[in-house]
Amino acid sequence: MKKIVINGGRPLKGEVTISGAKNSVVALIPAAILSDEIVTLDCVPDISDVVSLIDIMEAMGATIERQDDTLKIDPRGIKNMPMPYGKINSLRASYYFYGSLLGRYGEATVGLPGGCDLGPRPIDLHLKAFEAMGATVSYEGNSMNLSTGGKRLHGASIYMDTVSVGATINTMLAAVKAKGRTVIENAAREPEIIDVATLLNNMGAHIRGAGTDIIIIEGVDALHGTRHQVIPDRIEAGTYISMAAAIGEGVQINNVLYEHLEGFIAKLEEMGVRMTVSEDSVYVEKQHDLKAINIKTAPYPGFATDLQQPITPLLLMSKGRGLIIDMIYEKRVNHVAELAKMAGKISTSANHVAYEGPNQLQGAVVKATDLRAGAALVIAGLLAHGKTEITNVEFILRGYSNIIEKLTNLGADIQLVEE
């Protein structure tokens, strides 16, 4: 068991560099299965999800070398094998093995995905796409079997009933080696989709329209190796910007792409956050007199659901009353009860979060219920008077690379403790 212990009230100052995007790399690593040669990824974050994906790939027969933030993946030894149990079940992103294995072998047996409990997150859109391309779906216990019956997947026109990042990426993975043309309509537009499409195109795929709501894929017979740099993590960037605005006395966040955070930064400006946005960094000043705002999450380029929890402690420092409505995940409100334990004036009803500020948070023993809730509690702990202990920190380590080291370098009193 591990926990994070924070002695709060110490202002943050200095510089921090954002790591590669978690939501990209968890798809980029399985995408390497489709290559006939070595794929090298740079700027890979040091997170537990990456460790789990490496373990899964090596169990399948891949040879992987990791040095600092570079991952060298040789997929030539991979064998298609059932993966019903183990680390597969702990990862939401394990579903990307469906698309990559189907694309390479025409068959996949993979355990049902795990990850954070944010309410219903069905994979029916993924399966709809696979079936449209010629796969059949069957279930065996806690795993799913996908098969083309020895045939090659074929292109299809696929309309996503709802905007889904996972289903859009998975369809691309399956379609790049399918026979003919695949068209994805109502596709998600997130930067991570462009990142995955860029990798696949550099491997020899023919993908057009990534970043728009219509993606067209012309299937190819083979994919080759390449070297690819993972984009900066916009959610980690937003988390540190929120943190700097909440308790910073001059913090520069490096390796930030402003165009990935426009909706988020617009809301900070509405609050009155003073910052300087440069080409690849954001400098956040010490703040005064922030005002409460309302937030409603939406698919990209709207306000990201992954950032509504990390911004909440900052909102608790603002003056007035506000409302947060999460339109993506109905259960992404579990951080509210934990913040209330820290004397935050905050409550929830369904997917609505009501808050009032300003607050002086108090240290407490709290629990991370999911990845981004954990990030919110870290920020709250930095703000609070006294000591905060956060349990269930495995969630946090899934998505924030070297978070203890980065915050310590900014002046935080924070430790990861083994119990």
Side-chain angles (χ1 to χ4, degrees):
M1 296 287 291
K2 296 178 181 178
K3 64 181 179 181
I4 289 176
V5 179
I6 304 170
N7 291 305
R10 297 183 57 167
L12 305 181
K13 192 169 186 177
E15 297 187 20
V16 63
T17 299
I18 298 305
S19 302
K22 168 196 176 288
N23 289 338
S24 276
V25 79
V26 295
L28 295 170
I29 293 173
I33 290 173
L34 292 160
S35 175
D36 298 323
E37 299 171 347
I38 292 172
V39 173
T40 302
L41 302 176
D42 294 314
C43 294
V44 174
D46 184 12
I47 56 177
S48 61
D49 271 14
V50 167
V51 174
S52 295
L53 287 168
I54 291 172
D55 289 345
I56 293 167
M57 294 279 283
E58 288 180 333
M60 295 169 65
T63 301
I64 298 180
E65 297 177 20
R66 186 172 190 177
Q67 184 173 5
D68 299 325
D69 65 353
T70 296
L71 209 60
K72 189 175 181 181
I73 305 170
D74 186 346
R76 289 173 291 188
I78 287 179
K79 295 178 175 60
N80 187 27
M81 54 186 287
M83 295 184 294
Y85 307 114
K87 293 183 183 294
I88 282 284
N89 304 101
S90 68
L91 292 169
R92 182 67 187 171
S94 63
Y95 54 42
Y96 291 130
F97 286 103
Y98 299 157
S100 55
L101 289 172
L102 259 182
R104 177 166 174 171
Y105 297 107
E107 188 172 9
T109 300
V110 183
L112 296 176
C116 299
D117 180 13
L118 303 176
R121 294 196 285 174
I123 58 171
D124 56 316
L125 293 178
H126 307 236
L127 303 184
K128 171 185 172 181
F130 298 150
E131 288 174 331
M133 288 187 280
T136 58
V137 181
S138 60
Y139 296 89
E140 299 172 12
N142 290 325
S143 63
M144 184 184 304
N145 180 261
L146 305 167
S147 177
T148 63
K151 300 177 182 178
R152 183 178 175 184
L153 288 172
H154 57 75
S157 293
I158 298 160
Y159 181 85
M160 296 291 173
D161 296 325
T162 58
V163 175
S164 167
V165 174
T168 299
I169 291 177
N170 233 343
T171 303
M172 290 197 305
L173 294 175
V176 287
K177 284 189 170 182
K179 185 178 180 180
R181 171 182 289 188
T182 298
V183 179
I184 309 172
E185 296 185 78
N186 199 31
R189 299 163 55 191
E190 273 73 0
E192 294 79 11
I193 290 168
I194 301 173
D195 203 24
V196 175
T198 300
L199 170 74
L200 293 170
N201 281 339
N202 289 342
M203 290 162 57
H206 294 161
I207 302 173
R208 292 182 288 125
T212 75
D213 60 358
I214 299 178
I215 299 175
I216 300 171
I217 305 144
E218 302 284 353
V220 298
D221 293 329
L223 296 176
H224 54 74
T226 191
R227 186 163 195 149
H228 176 81
Q229 182 169 312
V230 183
I231 60 171
D233 193 316
R234 62 193 172 99
I235 308 304
E236 185 190 23
T239 300
Y240 279 97
I241 292 170
S242 296
M243 200 179 290
I247 195 170
E249 292 187 348
V251 177
Q252 178 156 312
I253 299 97
N254 298 318
N255 196 31
V256 178
L257 294 179
Y258 164 73
E259 56 267 31
H260 293 175
L261 286 165
E262 288 185 77
F264 172 75
I265 288 176
K267 280 297 180 180
L268 293 182
E269 291 174 339
E270 184 182 340
M271 289 183 71
V273 173
R274 295 187 304 279
M275 55 191 159
T276 302
V277 179
S278 304
E279 183 178 348
D280 61 354
S281 66
V282 176
Y283 178 77
V284 183
E285 303 173 24
K286 184 176 180 179
Q287 307 300 317
H288 302 282
D289 301 323
L290 299 178
K291 66 176 182 179
I293 59 170
N294 297 324
I295 290 173
K296 181 182 288 188
T297 68
Y300 187 86
F303 193 99
T305 177
D306 280 2
L307 283 173
Q308 69 91 342
Q309 289 164 298
I311 201 177
T312 305
L314 173 62
L315 297 176
L316 291 175
M317 298 300 105
S318 65
K319 184 178 181 179
R321 295 180 178 180
L323 190 66
I324 307 167
I325 305 174
D326 198 313
M327 304 298 293
I328 312 298
Y329 295 129
E330 64 182 36
K331 289 181 68 175
R332 200 158 224 166
V333 295
N334 291 335
H335 59 305
V336 171
E338 303 304 306
L339 291 172
K341 292 178 186 176
M342 301 177 72
K345 297 175 184 176
I346 188 168
S347 61
T348 181
S349 175
N351 63 338
H352 289 54
V353 176
Y355 69 92
E356 181 180 351
N359 294 262
Q360 176 54 67
L361 299 180
Q362 302 295 325
V365 177
V366 290
K367 179 174 66 174
T369 54
D370 58 75
L371 169 57
R372 307 305 173 185
L377 295 178
V378 170
I379 299 174
L382 295 171
L383 282 164
H385 276 171
K387 183 169 72 173
T388 296
E389 294 185 8
I390 306 173
T391 61
N392 274 20
V393 298
E394 290 76 12
F395 282 117
I396 301 170
L397 303 180
R398 284 186 52 223
Y400 287 92
S401 182
N402 300 317
I403 187 170
I404 304 299
E405 178 184 349
K406 288 179 179 180
L407 288 176
T408 299
N409 289 340
L410 289 174
D413 184 347
I414 182 171
Q415 291 180 301
L416 181 64
V417 177
E418 292 262 8
E419 289 190 307

